[in-house]
Amino acid sequence: MLQHISVDLGLDDLSLLDLRDIDPPPALGANLLMVIGTARSEKHLHVSADRFCRWLRTTHRLTPYADGLLGRGELRLKLKRKNRRTRMLNSVGASDSSNTDDGIRTGWVCVNVGTVEDGGAVPHEAVDIKDDNYVGFGGEISGVKVVVQMLTEEKREELDLETLWSQALARYTRRKDRIAKGQIEETARSDHLVPPLDLNTSSSTLSLAP
């Protein structure tokens, strides 16, 4: 998949973030692997996301969902309207200097590939309960969830997702270390307060008879 994103789609500066150990899990889901890539332009962003979703459906039988993606017809229509507006303004000697959102410059498409296990997709209804202490609705789904974040260079610098998730992962690691250290110290204190049982005590000493 990484080769397809880099070579076939042409996204640059790929980063892979392993967020499977974060607890509580991100809003995107548990057992998460996140891929981040940079598109060369707004058009390249939407075209790449569209082709990536089509590739996942046809090649791997997955059902991805792309948040922020403009479809081929929608993008073409909005670009046509924008060009028409620009020509009209130029014809009267004016220019469009407004910073209003034209619905085209999203700068960010989040492709939720889905849950993948052994090279294939896991149906949403498939559950695999492995832990008797599992708490929550539904069941525990095995597999790894993959999300691909496609951004323009400006949007990627603005959001800085790598730093955001790296800091979240570092905070979780520090918290986990503190909890483990606290458990070790608590165990040590308990062992110090409870005297060991003397197995060599004679039976007469332990007897309850008068």
Side-chain angles (χ1 to χ4, degrees):
M1 186 179 69
L2 293 177
Q3 181 178 359
H4 177 77
I5 294 174
S6 176
V7 178
D8 298 334
L9 300 181
L11 266 66
D12 301 323
D13 300 329
L14 295 185
S15 295
L16 177 62
L17 301 179
D18 189 349
L19 307 176
R20 290 175 291 181
D21 291 335
I22 288 186
D23 184 25
L28 291 171
N31 296 331
L32 181 66
L33 289 177
M34 182 180 295
V35 180
I36 304 175
T38 302
R40 294 188 296 270
S41 64
E42 193 73 35
K43 183 176 181 180
H44 180 224
L45 171 69
H46 292 284
V47 170
S48 298
D50 180 71
R51 290 178 178 175
F52 182 56
C53 291
R54 292 172 183 267
W55 177 76
L56 291 172
R57 293 190 190 101
T58 57
T59 305
H60 298 285
R61 306 302 181 192
L62 294 169
T63 55
Y65 173 76
D67 190 13
L69 172 63
L70 297 177
R72 294 183 178 182
E74 184 180 6
L75 179 61
R76 189 181 301 111
L77 178 61
K78 289 189 175 185
L79 287 173
K80 185 177 180 180
R81 290 176 177 175
K82 181 180 180 181
N83 293 333
R84 184 187 303 164
R85 174 181 171 83
T86 302
R87 287 196 302 269
M88 291 177 60
L89 291 174
N90 291 336
S91 64
V92 297
S95 61
D96 188 5
S97 59
S98 62
N99 293 325
T100 57
D101 185 8
D102 54 10
I104 300 176
R105 296 188 297 269
T106 60
W108 182 13
V109 176
C110 177
V111 181
N112 192 331
V113 176
T115 304
V116 179
E117 182 178 24
D118 296 332
V122 177
H124 294 291
E125 64 274 8
V127 297
D128 182 19
I129 303 297
K130 296 181 179 179
D131 189 355
D132 295 335
N133 297 322
Y134 176 82
V135 177
F137 296 99
E140 181 184 8
I141 301 178
S142 60
V144 177
K145 191 167 188 177
V146 180
V147 171
V148 179
Q149 307 279 12
M150 301 182 179
L151 308 98
T152 59
E153 185 175 359
E154 297 80 7
K155 198 69 173 181
R156 185 169 182 176
E157 292 178 356
E158 175 188 348
L159 297 177
D160 196 7
L161 295 178
E162 287 93 339
T163 301
L164 174 67
W165 287 111
S166 297
Q167 291 176 349
L169 187 59
R171 286 194 299 269
Y172 166 73
T173 302
R174 290 194 298 268
R175 185 172 68 251
K176 184 173 65 173
D177 292 342
R178 287 196 300 268
I179 293 174
K181 183 179 180 180
Q183 291 175 346
I184 294 175
E185 292 177 351
E186 182 66 24
T187 302
R189 285 194 296 267
S190 300
D191 293 342
H192 178 72
L193 294 175
V194 178
L197 178 63
D198 187 2
L199 299 179
N200 296 324
T201 305
S202 62
S203 58
S204 59
T205 304
L206 297 176
S207 175
L208 298 179

